[in-house]
Amino acid sequence: MEEKTKTVRHFREGGEGGKKRRWYSLIDKIWAVPNLEEAFREVKRNKGAAGVDQMTLKAYESKLESHVQALQHKLRSKTYRPKPVKRVYIPKQKVIRSIYIAYFFK
């Protein structure tokens, strides 16, 4: 699995020897299953929180394959519609910072 992650990162960063790669279409890269799985792993590494749908990482991961396939289908068929974001306030030293948590997909 770690090897797959390295391959996906290598692909996203543009390939061999630091050469710049020109992309003409990104949507087919976005809906590629390895990229969707890597996106989930990134959210998990960052300890992502549940969005407005209240779906936890654990719940999403329990059916990861079916969730990824459903998301890919919606992206490919152009029926995916983003949901509202959840606003969360985080107290910092002298200010309160607001962040937005995206609804992942259910």
Side-chain angles (χ1 to χ4, degrees):
M1 191 63 113
E2 186 62 35
E3 183 60 37
K4 193 178 199 180
T5 299
K6 288 179 186 176
T7 303
V8 170
R9 282 197 188 128
H10 178 74
F11 176 76
R12 287 191 326 192
E13 291 167 2
E16 303 299 324
K19 291 168 57 177
K20 292 286 181 181
R21 179 180 279 172
R22 177 174 242 153
W23 301 103
Y24 295 97
S25 174
L26 294 177
I27 192 65
D28 60 323
K29 282 79 175 165
I30 292 169
W31 69 45
V33 171
N35 289 335
L36 293 173
E37 290 172 345
E38 175 61 18
F40 171 77
R41 285 191 293 275
E42 256 180 64
V43 170
K44 188 175 178 180
R45 270 193 300 275
N46 290 333
K47 298 181 173 101
V52 294
D53 62 344
Q54 298 300 310
M55 181 175 282
T56 63
L57 287 172
K58 190 175 185 178
Y60 193 88
E61 188 174 30
S62 69
K63 297 180 181 176
L64 183 61
E65 188 175 335
S66 67
H67 285 296
V68 167
Q69 287 175 354
L71 178 56
Q72 182 190 48
H73 175 72
K74 285 191 171 264
L75 289 168
R76 290 183 83 151
S77 64
K78 298 180 182 178
T79 58
Y80 176 77
R81 298 289 175 256
K83 302 295 186 223
V85 293
K86 179 180 176 182
R87 189 174 194 179
V88 177
Y89 295 96
I90 300 174
K92 293 291 182 177
Q93 291 174 350
K94 294 183 180 179
V95 295
I96 295 179
R97 181 176 160 224
S98 66
I99 63 168
Y100 296 90
I101 300 173
Y103 172 93
F104 199 51
F105 181 76
K106 188 172 185 180

